[in-house]
Amino acid sequence: MIKNALAYVSRKKNRTLIIFIILTIVLSFLYSCLSIMKSNEGLEKSLYKYSNSSLSITKKDNGYFETEKFKEVKRIKEVKELTYEYNGLAKPVNAKVVTGKQKIERDNLPDEFNNILSLEATNNTKRNVLFTSGVFTIKKGRGINENDMNKILVHEDFAKKNNLKLNDKIGLNLLDNDNMAQDKEEKYEIIGIFSGKKQEKYTGLSSDFSENSVFIDYKSLEKTLFDGKAGLSNKINVYTDNPENIKTAFEKIKNINIDWSKYNLEKDTGAFEEIINSLSGIKHLIKIIAYSIAIGGLVVISLILILWLRERIYEIGILLSIGISKAKIISQFIIELIIISIPAFLSSLILGNLILKQLTGRLVESGSGGDLNIDIIKNQSLLDSITTFLQSYGILISIIIISVALASSMILIKKPKDILSKIS
Amino acid sequence: MDILEIKNASYYYGDSKDKILSSVNQKFELGKFYAIIGKSGAGKSTLLSLLAGLDKPKSGEIVFKGENIEDKGYNNHRKNNISLVFQNYNLIDYLSPLENIRLVNTKADESILLELGLDKTQTKRNVMKLSGGEQQRVAIARALVSEAPIILADEPTGNLDSVTAGEIIKLLKKLAKERDKCVIVVTHSNEVASAADIVLELSGKKLKKVNKIS
């Protein structure tokens, strides 16, 4: 049976080539469609992460509040990450702020406020809106993360003015929430230098300028201003894994026993919802294209195989007349196609990925208008791609078996005499 | 010794009650060469199909060694009891002669093909590259390696020139005698009929023994 199948495949070269091309095309499209459909599921998650969606807790009077009051938020299982924001002021020791033309002149300002920095303490600058929005960009070094202690990011102009570089240390005297200096200098290591200009509000202080903004780690802030205890914050951001969890987390936080008349709990999911709305049409289109290609491929391959088998009715008649069983005849046909599908499998690895790149490239281009460059292919790991490819191959083999069984049964239900009389 | 018997068999096509064969009875013995003759459309090929188990009679039965072939199945009958030789040879076109005969017996070697007049290179060449006479020899070789006791041939010389046809008939007759096979040939040819031990004529839906054609 296998020998005869090999003989057919190797000697009927033209027919084998046609079947090989068809199997390659169908397998490539099946793989592309399956990949897109799978990516479509992951796309929402990626967009969610990309959009930096979160819940934010602030005080209604925009003032400071104790983070300890919200310690229960950490225990909510849907909550994946918390970031704290503290906005304050700091006096640099042995360093001069960047000066510029102020729109507001203050005569009554004590001298010490002429050399003041705007300070933001956070446990993750990657989540900070000034960095995620691209207003500030890290030019050298890295951002602040949860494990950092006594680390600082400074503006490139401030660094230039004071001849500061990465790993240098700068002394700061932090002002508390009442803007009272602590007379306690703390040294911070520069781990990143950023550039950019934020929207500036002029109050007559040197800290109004973007160049005089610094970011320090939140742990240092707690150590310096709050004796290492849980400190104050202007804003707590709450992050979850997916859009469903953010709704659940919102409800659970709302149920925490706190005087909510003094606090705001808001969803910062606008960017995500905007993207999802603009992509919903594209998602629908992807689904329709994917299903159409999969069903079209199935129909084409079934019809081709039916024609291929009808052309072999002569052979079927001969084999039946010499006593070969129907099961053996069908098995030989299936083995032939499986043999042809092996090189088709290999060539589809290349063609399938090319089609996938073309399809996803055009879809993303048409869907985002060039603004949102989300690479669907990159969203899939190698293991995902292999799994998808094997699934596509499994579908192809199923189509082959079903088509051959259907087409053969149409011939094999006839009496051998009828088949043989058709031949003559 | 009777090997095959057609018992009171009738046949008609589809639902029409217009019979092609009506209550046909005949016994066939090993070691004999039978020729079935008759006009075109008389039902010779239909009769051969019934004997081969390619179709079943509407009434009556086909008996092999005293047992209705339906009992063990038609596929079993075709596989083990009979071998078919056709006018158009019915060989698998992408296989060599040796591979064709191995379809019915995987242990078959080229000796039978050499015995029937093919040379060594021809046994491995594509079967479609052989002449008509050579292809018919391959078909006969396939019938022989199956080791079935009955060889059924439908116009085996129909596509051959007279010299090659004579050789094929001699070969079939030799097989009947030397290998103790029951050879049943459906033919229009007087030459084939004259070579047969027993000539049967299909006429008026019945099978009748006729005097040997000389």
Side-chain angles (χ1 to χ4, degrees), chain A residues 9 14 37 60 69 75 91 101 117 184 203 209 216 226 277 291 307 316 349 365 367 410:
Chain A
V9 170
N14 289 342
M37 284 168 78
K60 281 189 176 163
K69 282 188 177 175
R75 292 185 212 122
K91 285 199 292 182
K101 201 177 175 189
L117 292 169
K184 193 165 108 186
T203 59
F209 298 113
I216 64 162
F226 311 108
N277 284 339
Y291 280 122
L307 291 173
I316 293 172
L349 279 170
E365 211 174 274
M410 284 158 68

mmCIF file of all heavy atoms in Angstrom, chain A residues 9 14 37 60 69 75 91 101 117 184 203 209 216 226 277 291 307 316 349 365 367 410:
data_model
loop_
_atom_site.group_PDB
_atom_site.id
_atom_site.type_symbol
_atom_site.label_atom_id
_atom_site.label_comp_id
_atom_site.label_asym_id
_atom_site.label_seq_id
_atom_site.Cartn_x
_atom_site.Cartn_y
_atom_site.Cartn_z
ATOM 1 N N VAL A 9 3.033 8.808 -6.294
ATOM 2 C CA VAL A 9 3.515 10.175 -6.045
ATOM 3 C C VAL A 9 4.771 10.473 -6.870
ATOM 4 O O VAL A 9 4.909 11.549 -7.457
ATOM 5 C CB VAL A 9 3.809 10.364 -4.533
ATOM 6 C CG1 VAL A 9 4.526 11.665 -4.263
ATOM 7 C CG2 VAL A 9 2.501 10.320 -3.749
ATOM 8 N N ASN A 14 3.181 15.293 -12.685
ATOM 9 C CA ASN A 14 2.354 16.486 -12.921
ATOM 10 C C ASN A 14 1.202 16.576 -11.930
ATOM 11 O O ASN A 14 0.928 17.634 -11.369
ATOM 12 C CB ASN A 14 1.799 16.482 -14.344
ATOM 13 C CG ASN A 14 2.893 16.739 -15.358
ATOM 14 O OD1 ASN A 14 3.962 17.246 -14.996
ATOM 15 N ND2 ASN A 14 2.649 16.373 -16.599
ATOM 16 N N MET A 37 -6.704 34.968 13.609
ATOM 17 C CA MET A 37 -7.821 34.806 14.544
ATOM 18 C C MET A 37 -7.314 34.701 15.981
ATOM 19 O O MET A 37 -7.911 35.236 16.903
ATOM 20 C CB MET A 37 -8.665 33.595 14.168
ATOM 21 C CG MET A 37 -9.540 33.897 12.961
ATOM 22 S SD MET A 37 -10.288 32.445 12.243
ATOM 23 C CE MET A 37 -11.598 32.172 13.391
ATOM 24 N N LYS A 60 -10.413 64.700 46.452
ATOM 25 C CA LYS A 60 -11.243 65.659 45.714
ATOM 26 C C LYS A 60 -10.650 67.078 45.731
ATOM 27 O O LYS A 60 -10.825 67.834 44.787
ATOM 28 C CB LYS A 60 -12.665 65.660 46.262
ATOM 29 C CG LYS A 60 -13.440 64.451 45.721
ATOM 30 C CD LYS A 60 -14.886 64.480 46.028
ATOM 31 C CE LYS A 60 -15.547 63.291 45.357
ATOM 32 N NZ LYS A 60 -16.854 62.998 45.906
ATOM 33 N N LYS A 69 -4.372 54.161 53.980
ATOM 34 C CA LYS A 69 -5.833 54.031 53.977
ATOM 35 C C LYS A 69 -6.305 53.078 52.885
ATOM 36 O O LYS A 69 -7.402 52.539 52.948
ATOM 37 C CB LYS A 69 -6.475 55.405 53.744
ATOM 38 C CG LYS A 69 -6.485 56.289 54.953
ATOM 39 C CD LYS A 69 -7.291 57.533 54.686
ATOM 40 C CE LYS A 69 -7.347 58.360 55.958
ATOM 41 N NZ LYS A 69 -8.003 59.636 55.762
ATOM 42 N N ARG A 75 -4.646 43.829 48.182
ATOM 43 C CA ARG A 75 -5.106 42.442 48.405
ATOM 44 C C ARG A 75 -6.186 42.013 47.407
ATOM 45 O O ARG A 75 -6.578 40.867 47.383
ATOM 46 C CB ARG A 75 -5.636 42.295 49.827
ATOM 47 C CG ARG A 75 -4.526 42.419 50.849
ATOM 48 C CD ARG A 75 -5.053 42.150 52.250
ATOM 49 N NE ARG A 75 -4.312 42.948 53.216
ATOM 50 C CZ ARG A 75 -4.846 43.821 54.051
ATOM 51 N NH1 ARG A 75 -6.153 44.013 54.051
ATOM 52 N NH2 ARG A 75 -4.096 44.497 54.889
ATOM 53 N N LYS A 91 15.053 71.114 47.334
ATOM 54 C CA LYS A 91 16.139 72.067 47.095
ATOM 55 C C LYS A 91 17.394 71.275 46.753
ATOM 56 O O LYS A 91 17.787 70.369 47.499
ATOM 57 C CB LYS A 91 16.394 72.889 48.371
ATOM 58 C CG LYS A 91 15.324 73.947 48.629
ATOM 59 C CD LYS A 91 15.825 75.016 49.591
ATOM 60 C CE LYS A 91 16.018 74.454 50.975
ATOM 61 N NZ LYS A 91 16.468 75.479 51.945
ATOM 62 N N LYS A 101 12.916 82.713 31.353
ATOM 63 C CA LYS A 101 12.067 83.890 31.480
ATOM 64 C C LYS A 101 10.746 83.470 32.090
ATOM 65 O O LYS A 101 10.030 82.623 31.544
ATOM 66 C CB LYS A 101 11.855 84.507 30.091
ATOM 67 C CG LYS A 101 11.447 85.964 30.181
ATOM 68 C CD LYS A 101 11.323 86.568 28.786
ATOM 69 C CE LYS A 101 10.790 87.973 28.907
ATOM 70 N NZ LYS A 101 10.448 88.537 27.622
ATOM 71 N N LEU A 117 13.531 72.686 42.889
ATOM 72 C CA LEU A 117 13.199 71.695 41.857
ATOM 73 C C LEU A 117 11.784 71.156 42.077
ATOM 74 O O LEU A 117 11.318 71.068 43.207
ATOM 75 C CB LEU A 117 14.171 70.499 41.935
ATOM 76 C CG LEU A 117 15.623 70.744 41.550
ATOM 77 C CD1 LEU A 117 16.474 69.532 41.953
ATOM 78 C CD2 LEU A 117 15.756 70.995 40.055
ATOM 79 N N LYS A 184 17.593 68.224 55.940
ATOM 80 C CA LYS A 184 18.163 66.861 55.969
ATOM 81 C C LYS A 184 18.545 66.502 54.533
ATOM 82 O O LYS A 184 17.676 66.202 53.728
ATOM 83 C CB LYS A 184 17.112 65.889 56.526
ATOM 84 C CG LYS A 184 17.658 64.534 56.891
ATOM 85 C CD LYS A 184 16.656 63.790 57.745
ATOM 86 C CE LYS A 184 15.995 62.676 57.034
ATOM 87 N NZ LYS A 184 14.936 62.033 57.761
ATOM 88 N N THR A 203 4.134 79.836 38.166
ATOM 89 C CA THR A 203 3.755 80.344 39.485
ATOM 90 C C THR A 203 4.834 81.269 40.026
ATOM 91 O O THR A 203 4.752 81.736 41.165
ATOM 92 C CB THR A 203 3.576 79.171 40.470
ATOM 93 O OG1 THR A 203 4.822 78.468 40.541
ATOM 94 C CG2 THR A 203 2.468 78.240 40.064
ATOM 95 N N PHE A 209 9.699 75.184 35.489
ATOM 96 C CA PHE A 209 10.306 74.763 34.222
ATOM 97 C C PHE A 209 10.501 73.235 34.163
ATOM 98 O O PHE A 209 10.908 72.620 35.149
ATOM 99 C CB PHE A 209 11.670 75.453 34.030
ATOM 100 C CG PHE A 209 11.564 76.948 33.943
ATOM 101 C CD1 PHE A 209 12.101 77.760 34.935
ATOM 102 C CD2 PHE A 209 10.904 77.539 32.872
ATOM 103 C CE1 PHE A 209 12.006 79.139 34.843
ATOM 104 C CE2 PHE A 209 10.805 78.936 32.796
ATOM 105 C CZ PHE A 209 11.337 79.740 33.780
ATOM 106 N N ILE A 216 12.224 60.862 41.707
ATOM 107 C CA ILE A 216 12.961 59.995 42.638
ATOM 108 C C ILE A 216 12.091 58.779 42.959
ATOM 109 O O ILE A 216 10.883 58.771 42.687
ATOM 110 C CB ILE A 216 13.361 60.720 43.953
ATOM 111 C CG1 ILE A 216 12.102 61.124 44.743
ATOM 112 C CG2 ILE A 216 14.265 61.903 43.688
ATOM 113 C CD1 ILE A 216 12.398 61.438 46.196
ATOM 114 N N PHE A 226 8.836 60.460 55.768
ATOM 115 C CA PHE A 226 7.873 59.784 56.651
ATOM 116 C C PHE A 226 8.530 58.718 57.535
ATOM 117 O O PHE A 226 7.899 57.741 57.929
ATOM 118 C CB PHE A 226 6.733 59.158 55.830
ATOM 119 C CG PHE A 226 6.141 60.135 54.839
ATOM 120 C CD1 PHE A 226 6.366 59.999 53.475
ATOM 121 C CD2 PHE A 226 5.389 61.215 55.273
ATOM 122 C CE1 PHE A 226 5.844 60.906 52.569
ATOM 123 C CE2 PHE A 226 4.861 62.134 54.366
ATOM 124 C CZ PHE A 226 5.090 61.985 53.007
ATOM 125 N N ASN A 277 -12.747 50.859 19.968
ATOM 126 C CA ASN A 277 -13.861 51.258 19.103
ATOM 127 C C ASN A 277 -13.416 51.397 17.659
ATOM 128 O O ASN A 277 -14.095 50.939 16.748
ATOM 129 C CB ASN A 277 -14.457 52.590 19.578
ATOM 130 C CG ASN A 277 -15.309 52.387 20.804
ATOM 131 O OD1 ASN A 277 -15.774 51.272 21.071
ATOM 132 N ND2 ASN A 277 -15.506 53.433 21.586
ATOM 133 N N TYR A 291 -12.582 33.472 8.168
ATOM 134 C CA TYR A 291 -13.557 32.397 7.935
ATOM 135 C C TYR A 291 -13.724 32.122 6.442
ATOM 136 O O TYR A 291 -13.820 30.962 6.033
ATOM 137 C CB TYR A 291 -14.910 32.760 8.561
ATOM 138 C CG TYR A 291 -14.961 32.515 10.059
ATOM 139 C CD1 TYR A 291 -15.244 33.534 10.952
ATOM 140 C CD2 TYR A 291 -14.710 31.242 10.582
ATOM 141 C CE1 TYR A 291 -15.283 33.327 12.322
ATOM 142 C CE2 TYR A 291 -14.738 31.019 11.949
ATOM 143 C CZ TYR A 291 -15.023 32.061 12.817
ATOM 144 O OH TYR A 291 -15.052 31.831 14.160
ATOM 145 N N LEU A 307 -12.385 15.552 -7.865
ATOM 146 C CA LEU A 307 -12.043 15.421 -9.290
ATOM 147 C C LEU A 307 -10.848 14.478 -9.466
ATOM 148 O O LEU A 307 -10.810 13.652 -10.369
ATOM 149 C CB LEU A 307 -11.705 16.790 -9.892
ATOM 150 C CG LEU A 307 -12.880 17.752 -10.034
ATOM 151 C CD1 LEU A 307 -12.400 19.124 -10.479
ATOM 152 C CD2 LEU A 307 -13.906 17.216 -11.034
ATOM 153 N N ILE A 316 -9.556 2.320 -9.561
ATOM 154 C CA ILE A 316 -10.398 1.758 -8.496
ATOM 155 C C ILE A 316 -11.073 0.485 -9.000
ATOM 156 O O ILE A 316 -11.099 -0.539 -8.306
ATOM 157 C CB ILE A 316 -11.458 2.794 -8.032
ATOM 158 C CG1 ILE A 316 -10.763 3.978 -7.342
ATOM 159 C CG2 ILE A 316 -12.476 2.163 -7.086
ATOM 160 C CD1 ILE A 316 -11.688 5.147 -7.017
ATOM 161 N N LEU A 349 5.572 26.713 5.550
ATOM 162 C CA LEU A 349 6.222 27.440 6.644
ATOM 163 C C LEU A 349 6.694 28.804 6.147
ATOM 164 O O LEU A 349 6.603 29.815 6.845
ATOM 165 C CB LEU A 349 7.427 26.652 7.173
ATOM 166 C CG LEU A 349 7.144 25.521 8.149
ATOM 167 C CD1 LEU A 349 8.404 24.703 8.389
ATOM 168 C CD2 LEU A 349 6.630 26.052 9.472
ATOM 169 N N GLU A 365 -2.370 48.581 8.870
ATOM 170 C CA GLU A 365 -2.239 49.850 8.179
ATOM 171 C C GLU A 365 -3.605 50.513 7.985
ATOM 172 O O GLU A 365 -3.802 51.675 8.299
ATOM 173 C CB GLU A 365 -1.633 49.571 6.808
ATOM 174 C CG GLU A 365 -0.778 50.688 6.286
ATOM 175 C CD GLU A 365 -0.118 50.248 5.000
ATOM 176 O OE1 GLU A 365 0.951 49.629 5.083
ATOM 177 O OE2 GLU A 365 -0.709 50.492 3.954
ATOM 178 N N GLY A 367 -6.348 49.844 9.585
ATOM 179 C CA GLY A 367 -7.102 50.025 10.825
ATOM 180 C C GLY A 367 -6.617 51.176 11.681
ATOM 181 O O GLY A 367 -7.406 51.881 12.284
ATOM 182 N N MET A 410 -18.474 7.916 -2.958
ATOM 183 C CA MET A 410 -19.342 8.138 -4.112
ATOM 184 C C MET A 410 -19.052 7.128 -5.226
ATOM 185 O O MET A 410 -19.927 6.747 -5.988
ATOM 186 C CB MET A 410 -19.149 9.569 -4.644
ATOM 187 C CG MET A 410 -19.832 10.617 -3.770
ATOM 188 S SD MET A 410 -19.125 12.257 -4.000
ATOM 189 C CE MET A 410 -19.628 12.609 -5.662
#
